[in-house]
Amino acid sequence: MSAALIIGAGDATGGAIARAFAAEGYTSCVNRRPRHADKLEELAASICDAGHKAQAYPADARDEEAMIALVDAIERDVGPIEVAVFNIGANVNFSITETSAQVYRKV
């Protein structure tokens, strides 16, 4: 089974990307921060309700160890990750030369 990992699977673009890959036969492995786990579960359930495959994997993309564990879990539970989409952002508009550590962590 082929997995599509969507990091930043939110209510708009990320969710639409997850639905599109699921419709093409991938298992959409949707990810966003743990504080949004309920919305993540809703997204996965809506994809499954449409007759496709999806699994929710809450984890913080800013945490390297969490991302390693995420990839390991998907490849163990679903199969090899064929597609990865990195769709995170916090709508903060700073030049890279003006970005503080605090803003980097937020984004």
Side-chain angles (χ1 to χ4, degrees):
M1 189 178 315
S2 296
L5 168 58
I6 296 39
I7 299 172
D11 300 328
T13 303
I17 292 167
R19 286 184 181 88
F21 277 105
E24 292 297 320
Y26 290 86
T27 298
S28 281
C29 300
V30 294
N31 163 264
R32 67 192 291 187
R33 291 183 193 168
R35 67 184 172 130
H36 299 292
D38 56 336
K39 288 186 173 191
L40 195 61
E41 290 291 344
E42 290 173 14
L43 172 60
S46 73
I47 292 170
C48 292
D49 289 347
H52 307 298
K53 295 179 183 174
Q55 291 188 29
Y57 290 91
D60 192 331
R62 301 169 298 176
D63 182 334
E64 182 179 2
E65 289 180 15
M67 290 294 95
I68 291 168
L70 170 72
V71 170
D72 289 346
I74 292 169
E75 292 191 335
R76 179 191 64 239
D77 299 344
V78 178
I81 297 171
E82 298 290 329
V83 176
V85 177
F86 190 74
N87 179 57
I88 65 168
N91 298 319
V92 176
N93 192 11
F94 287 97
S95 157
I96 190 67
T97 60
E98 297 171 9
T99 302
S100 67
Q102 181 181 3
V103 170
Y104 179 83
R105 175 104 175 119
K106 181 179 188 253
V107 175

